[in-house]
Every structure is written in structure tokens, then in C-alpha cells.
């Protein structure tokens, strides 16, 4: 759903003329005031008919509040991320801002030419070609007659559809339709762009291309609202973010903090109260600033159903940071993540070992190791004592999402590698591994293996015994070969 002017559901309508040339660059472009949306819920289809036939005298429905009193302002040229779990009210909020839905209460204002991309292939006519769809959409959006002709080549090049651009959309794959949808809207250069999960389309290269275009539009002064479950996309694009829970804004501020709160709030139902009590007790026992920092930024939460082990010693909390000690669950490929664990024990553990495990999106174990495998011996744990353990992992794995687990164990039996698990926590994260830059991944497959290369020059003109030069694929350093 899109249009050249924004709907003001509270009874107003603000056209492009509302953006005056003399306005400050920090002018408010999007404003929501106590925005609320209720949906009627009927147990049976006949209940709706009976209620209608009674003229309102009989009530046969319940009410579900999808958005509850949302208020925010967004300035020109800024990008607001909207994050939250499925069912938190994100898409409903965007639909009210675009006029697709009318609010039950409150109001919203959006200034300027608005394009909304709530579904990438929405509005495409399957019987028209890609080029014809561009012209048709430009007409529907009330653009000048020659606007589509000027933009068609740009859309065609950006979408990378080749000869399919002049074929009916009905023969497109779902990915090709999504490419056309995004390319069309991005090349129309809106003043306000409202998008929902755009960067989930196509391969990693096209997603990077979409992200680059969106950053360029923001640099040109476009204002954007961006809904995504992709934490890295929110961090890269957004200047600020709101976190929605059950339709209410529970946080509005830095994207990093919104993402952290969102990821750590995804706990099993019915355990919120227990988690609050546990956190309070844990904080009381945190004796040092380092311990408190781990507890206050804990990513484990209440994971009783995802834990196993004897419980005689425990992982109290874990904080995940970048190399610069900034809290994050996102890292560039080949970048480093630090895991700061706080552990405690009820008995003597002579040789404790702390480990971490990573699983890909198909739940395949990608990597697992522990301090014992590194040859690093931790000091013994005594009853009632605590210890902070810090692990640094270089994420030389393929781009994508990963979950991780943590373990606390001690040697078992005569085998050095045998272990008795005292505490294991699974299903943490997700961690998002992204490309270092727009050049894309540095390797393909599940993980980077140590690799080097060298070459020798022919003897012609260079003399015999020319020095071979080698390149280390992992570090990018050069060296001399022995060949």
C-alpha cells in the first residue's frame, strides 16, 4: 500500500505541501500520538451476523488490542527501527501509519511523498511485464507521465532481471517478484519509506545491494521506518529504535540497546516472575563491578527448560560483547566475540572447564570447544565462591544466524577428554554473522580452514630460482614459499 500523501488516521490528512522548504532538517516528519488499534474477535462466523442484525444491541465479540498507546516522533532523514517478537504489533503499527488500517484511538501524521513496502510483491499485476508494472505503479502513485520512463532503466538494472523484465510477472519466481517490488519502490525515491522485512529478499549479494540503496536514500534526506527481525540490518540502518511488547513501546532509544533487550526478553512463557526474583538474588550476590556488569547484561535469562547437568556448579550469567567491549549479538565474518561467564559452585571442583558451542540455522553443530581443549587450566572452585571466565571466539563461519550453548564441566574417568557436565545451557542467541563489507563473504562453506597459496615465476627473463611468493588466506599476509 502506498500513496503520494500520508494518511492521518485521527481525522487529518497532510499532503506534500505540508513540508515547507524553510523547515529545519530536524523537522518532525512522522508523528504517532497514543496510537491504539483494537480488533474484534468472534468465536463463530454467525456471531458477527447476529451482532450486525441486532443493530449494536447485542455484543458477541471479544477485543484484542494489537497496538496500545504508541507515541513517537521521527525527524527528517532519520531511520526508526521497530523490533519485537511475532505478534508484538509491528506490522499493525505500520499499516496504521500508511492508512491501510484506521486506528481505534490516537492519531498519526506522516509528511511528504510516502511509499510503503509491507509485502515485496504486493501490487504487481501478474499479466503485465516488469516494465509495464513500473509504468502502472507510477500512474497509480500519481507521478508525472514521463517519470516511469525515466526510472524504468534504473529499476531494470537494479533488479537484475535481464530479459525477464519484459516478460509477464506470472512467470517470475517469488524471489524475482520480490526483487522487482523492492527495486521499483527504491528507485522511485520516496520522501518517507515504510518497509517491513525488506532485507530478507534474494541472496546475500542482493540484500547488501538493497541495504546500500537504503543507506544512500537516507543520506539524501529520506525518512524511514524499518521493521525487521534482522538485528544487523537494524544496527546498520537505524538511528534509533523502539521495542514493542504486546503492542506497547517498552523501550525507545539506541538500536543496540533495543536489540539487546529484545533478544534477552525472549524467554519461555510463565517464567518472567521467576526470572525477576532470580535476577534480584544474583545481583545481591555480585561482589565486584565485573560480576555486576555480567549479571546486568546477562543473555541467558530463564532457561530452565534448556539446561541440564548435575547442578552442583552453575553458570550464573553470561555477557556477550565485541572486541571493544560493546554488548552485541552481531559480528562481522572473521570478527571476534567475547563471552564473559560468571560461574559458582556448591562443592570443590578441582579442574573446572568452561566451553561454548555454536549451531547453524539447521541445528548442526558448527563448533564446540572448552578451556580444557585450549590447554588452559582454570583454578579450582571452592564452595560458595564465584569466578569470571572470559572466552574470545573468532567467528570464521559462513554468514547467517547461529544459536549458541554454554557448558561448565569437570574431567570424568581416566580419559582426559571425558567430562561430567555440571551445567549446560542451550538455545541462546541468536548471533548474527554478517559480511565485513559490500564485497561479500571471504569464503564459502560452513567455516574457514587454514589455507595458503604461493606461486613461482618462470625462468624466462627472471633467471632461474625465482623466489615464490605466498599468501595466507586466513591472515592476508604474504611470505616466501620453499618451492
Amino acid at each position: 500500500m502506498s500513496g503520494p500523501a500520508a494518511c492521518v488516521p485521527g481525522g487529518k490528512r497532510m499532503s506534500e505541501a505540508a513540508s515547507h522548504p524553510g523547515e529545519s532538517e530536524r523537522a518532525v516528519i512522522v508523528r504517532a500520538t497514543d496510537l491504539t488499534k483494537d480488533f474484534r474477535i468472534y468465536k463463530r462466523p454467525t456471531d458477527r451476523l447476529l451482532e450486525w442484525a441486532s443493530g449494536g444491541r447485542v455484543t458477541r465479540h471479544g477485543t484484542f488490542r494489537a497496538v496500545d498507546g504508541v507515541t513517537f516522533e521521527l525527524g527528517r532523514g532519520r531511520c526508526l527501527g521497530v523490533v519485537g517478537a511475532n505478534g508484538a504489533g509491528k506490522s499493525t503499527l505500520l499499516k496504521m501509519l500508511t492508512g491501510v488500517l484506521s486506528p481505534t484511538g490516537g492519531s498519526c501524521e506522516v509528511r511528504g511523498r510516502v511509499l510503503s513496502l509491507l509485502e515485496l510483491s504486493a501490487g504487481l499485476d501478474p499479466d503485465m511485464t516488469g516494465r509495464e508494472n513500473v509504468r502502472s505503479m507510477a500512474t497509480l502513485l500519481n507521478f508525472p507521465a514521463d517519470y516511469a520512463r525515466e526510472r524504468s532503466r534504473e529499476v531494470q538494472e537494479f533488479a537484475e532481471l535481464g530479459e525477464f523484465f519484459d516478460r509477464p510477472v506470472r512467470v517470475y519466481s517469488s524471489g524475482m517478484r520480490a526483487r522487482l517490488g523492492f527495486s521499483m519502490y527504491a528507485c522511485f525515491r520516496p520522501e518517507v519509506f515504510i518497509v517491513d522485512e525488506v532485507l530478507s529478499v534474494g541472496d546475500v549479494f542482493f540484500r547488501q545491494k538493497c541495504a546500500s540503496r537504503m543507506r544512500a536514500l537516507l543520506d539524501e534526506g529520506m525518512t524511514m521506518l524499518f521493521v525487521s527481525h534482522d538485528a544487523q540490518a537494524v544496527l546498520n540502518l537505524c538511528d534509533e529504535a523502539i521495542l514493542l511488547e504486546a503492542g506497547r513501546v517498552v523501550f525507545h532509544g539506541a538500536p543496540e540497546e533495543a536489540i539487546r533487550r529484545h533478544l534477552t526478553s525472549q524467554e519461555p512463557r510463565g517464567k518472567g516472575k521467576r526470572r525477576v526474583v532470580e535476577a534480584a538474588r544474583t545481583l545481591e550476590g555480585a561482589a565486584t563491578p565485573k560480576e555486576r556488569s555480567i549479571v546486568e547484561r546477562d543473555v541467558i535469562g530463564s532457561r530452565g527448560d534448556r539446561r541440564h547437568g548435575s547442578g552442583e556448579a552453575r553458570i550464573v550469567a553470561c555477557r556477550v560483547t565485541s572486541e571493544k567491549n560493546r554488548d552485541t549479538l552481531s559480528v562481522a565474518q572473521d570478527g571476534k566475540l567475547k563471552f564473559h561467564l560468571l560461574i559458582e559452585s556448591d562443592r570443590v571442583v578441582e579442574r573446572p572447564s568452561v566451553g561454548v558451542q555454536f549451531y547453524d540455522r539447521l541445528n548442526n553443530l558448527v563448533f564446540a570447544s572448552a578451556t580444557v581443549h585450549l590447554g588452559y587450566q582454570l583454578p579450582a572452585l571452592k564452595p560458595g565462591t564465584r569466578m569470571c571466565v572470559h572466552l574470545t571466539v573468532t567467528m570464521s563461519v559462513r554468514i547467517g544466524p547461529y544459536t549458541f550453548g554454554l557448558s561448565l564441566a569437570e574431567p570424568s574417568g581416566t580419559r582426559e577428554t571425558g567430562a561430567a557436565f555440571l551445567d549446560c545451557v542451550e538455545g541462546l542467541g541468536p548471533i548474527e554473522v554478517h559480511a565485513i563489507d559490500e564485497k561479500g563473504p571471504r569464503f564459502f562453506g560452513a567455516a574457514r580452514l587454514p589455507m595458503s597459496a604461493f606461486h613461482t615465476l618462470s625462468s624466462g627473463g627472471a633467471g632461474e630460482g625465482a623466489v615464490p611468493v605466498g599468501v595466507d588466506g586466513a591472515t592476508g599476509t604474504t611470505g616466501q614459499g620453499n618451492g
Side-chain angles (χ1 to χ4, degrees):
M1 180 74 181
S2 54
C7 171
V8 184
K12 305 176 185 177
R13 189 171 181 83
M14 192 171 294
S15 67
E16 293 178 62
S19 291
H20 302 291
E23 284 184 322
S24 165
E25 290 299 312
R26 299 291 296 170
V28 174
I29 301 300
V30 181
R31 177 185 286 113
T33 305
D34 199 24
L35 204 56
T36 301
K37 181 62 180 179
D38 293 337
F39 289 100
R40 292 183 176 183
I41 307 297
Y42 295 89
K43 292 183 178 180
R44 295 175 294 274
T46 54
D47 289 342
R48 186 188 299 270
L49 178 61
L50 290 172
E51 188 175 272
W52 173 81
S54 71
R57 293 186 300 272
V58 177
T59 300
R60 303 297 294 267
H61 69 270
T63 300
F64 169 70
R65 178 152 292 183
V67 175
D68 189 0
V70 171
T71 297
F72 67 86
E73 292 182 347
L74 184 61
R76 185 193 308 279
R78 293 180 67 80
C79 180
L80 174 69
V82 184
V83 298
N86 291 329
K90 303 185 300 296
S91 295
T92 302
L93 174 62
L94 294 196
K95 288 177 181 178
M96 286 192 288
L97 292 171
T98 56
V100 175
L101 293 176
S102 297
T104 305
S107 65
C108 62
E109 300 172 341
V110 185
R111 297 183 172 189
R113 185 174 63 247
V114 182
L115 293 181
S116 62
L117 202 48
L118 304 185
E119 185 179 342
L120 282 169
S121 58
L124 297 178
D125 188 325
D127 294 322
M128 290 183 178
T129 65
R131 191 182 306 277
E132 291 169 342
N133 267 285
V134 173
R135 294 172 182 168
S136 174
M137 189 61 68
T139 301
L140 289 172
L141 296 175
N142 201 29
F143 284 111
D146 59 347
Y147 190 87
R149 289 193 297 272
E150 296 173 358
R151 297 298 179 193
S152 285
R153 179 173 294 278
E154 184 180 1
V155 174
Q156 181 179 10
E157 292 176 354
F158 191 92
E160 300 176 353
L161 295 175
E163 62 185 18
F164 278 90
F165 192 63
D166 290 303
R167 293 183 181 179
V169 169
R170 66 172 178 270
V171 303
Y172 287 16
S173 67
S174 58
M176 293 168 69
R177 288 194 294 271
R179 280 172 174 256
L180 176 61
F182 177 83
S183 303
M184 206 162 46
Y185 284 94
C187 293
F188 282 170
R189 285 179 168 77
E191 292 174 290
V192 181
F193 204 11
I194 300 178
V195 293
D196 191 350
E197 291 293 357
V198 163
L199 297 184
S200 61
V201 56
D203 56 28
V204 63
F205 301 107
F206 190 75
R207 291 199 296 271
Q208 291 169 352
K209 190 175 182 180
C210 292
S212 296
R213 172 54 65 96
M214 293 165 76
R215 282 195 293 268
L217 291 173
L218 288 167
D219 290 341
E220 293 172 6
M222 179 192 73
T223 304
M224 184 166 66
L225 280 93
F226 180 58
V227 167
S228 181
H229 289 284
D230 185 339
Q232 187 57 39
V234 173
L235 293 173
N236 281 345
L237 291 172
C238 299
D239 302 295
E240 54 190 287
I242 59 174
L243 172 60
L244 291 180
E245 290 183 4
R248 298 187 65 86
V249 176
V250 296
F251 175 80
H252 184 179
E256 296 86 352
E257 181 64 12
I259 292 296
R260 187 187 72 80
R261 293 190 184 205
H262 169 50
L263 294 177
T264 57
S265 69
Q266 298 181 38
E267 302 178 352
R269 291 185 177 182
K271 296 188 178 180
K273 184 176 180 180
R274 190 182 76 182
R275 168 65 184 146
V276 171
V277 173
E278 290 175 349
R281 290 175 179 169
T282 303
L283 273 171
E284 289 175 0
T288 67
K290 185 179 293 293
E291 290 182 4
R292 293 187 68 87
S293 71
I294 295 175
V295 173
E296 290 172 350
R297 297 169 174 82
D298 175 37
V299 300
I300 295 177
S302 182
R303 289 294 189 267
D305 59 334
R306 303 300 300 272
R307 302 184 83 129
H308 59 88
S310 69
E312 297 169 298
R314 293 165 299 284
I315 302 169
V316 177
C318 175
R319 178 186 180 188
V320 184
T321 69
S322 65
E323 286 186 273
K324 297 180 179 179
N325 289 321
R326 295 181 61 184
D327 294 276
T328 185
L329 287 173
S330 177
V331 63
Q333 190 178 51
D334 285 339
K336 290 181 171 61
L337 283 179
K338 293 182 178 179
F339 296 81
H340 312 269
L341 291 84
L342 177 61
I343 61 176
E344 66 180 7
S345 180
D346 295 332
R347 66 169 175 82
V348 175
V349 180
E350 293 288 351
R351 301 178 63 188
S353 178
V354 172
V356 62
Q357 310 85 42
F358 297 94
Y359 300 84
D360 66 14
R361 61 184 180 84
L362 299 178
N363 205 34
N364 296 313
L365 177 62
V366 174
F367 171 82
S369 190
T371 52
V372 65
H373 304 126
L374 302 176
Y376 185 84
Q377 182 59 57
L378 295 171
L381 278 172
K382 297 180 180 179
T385 61
R386 289 183 168 184
M387 181 191 306
C388 295
V389 182
H390 309 275
L391 306 174
T392 300
V393 182
T394 301
M395 300 300 290
S396 295
V397 293
R398 80 169 86 209
I399 294 167
Y402 294 83
T403 61
F404 69 98
L406 303 167
S407 62
L408 171 59
E410 63 179 340
S412 174
T414 57
R415 293 179 56 199
E416 187 66 24
T417 56
F421 288 104
L422 302 169
D423 191 16
C424 290
V425 193
E426 300 175 342
L428 302 176
I431 288 172
E432 188 70 30
V433 178
H434 59 89
I436 299 174
D437 51 39
E438 295 181 2
K439 294 180 181 179
R442 294 294 186 265
F443 58 88
F444 296 93
R448 180 196 288 275
L449 300 181
M451 177 178 175
S452 62
F454 71 89
H455 68 275
T456 56
L457 301 175
S458 63
S459 59
E464 295 184 6
V467 178
V469 179
V471 178
D472 185 336
T475 64
T477 59
T478 60
Q480 295 182 347
N482 299 317

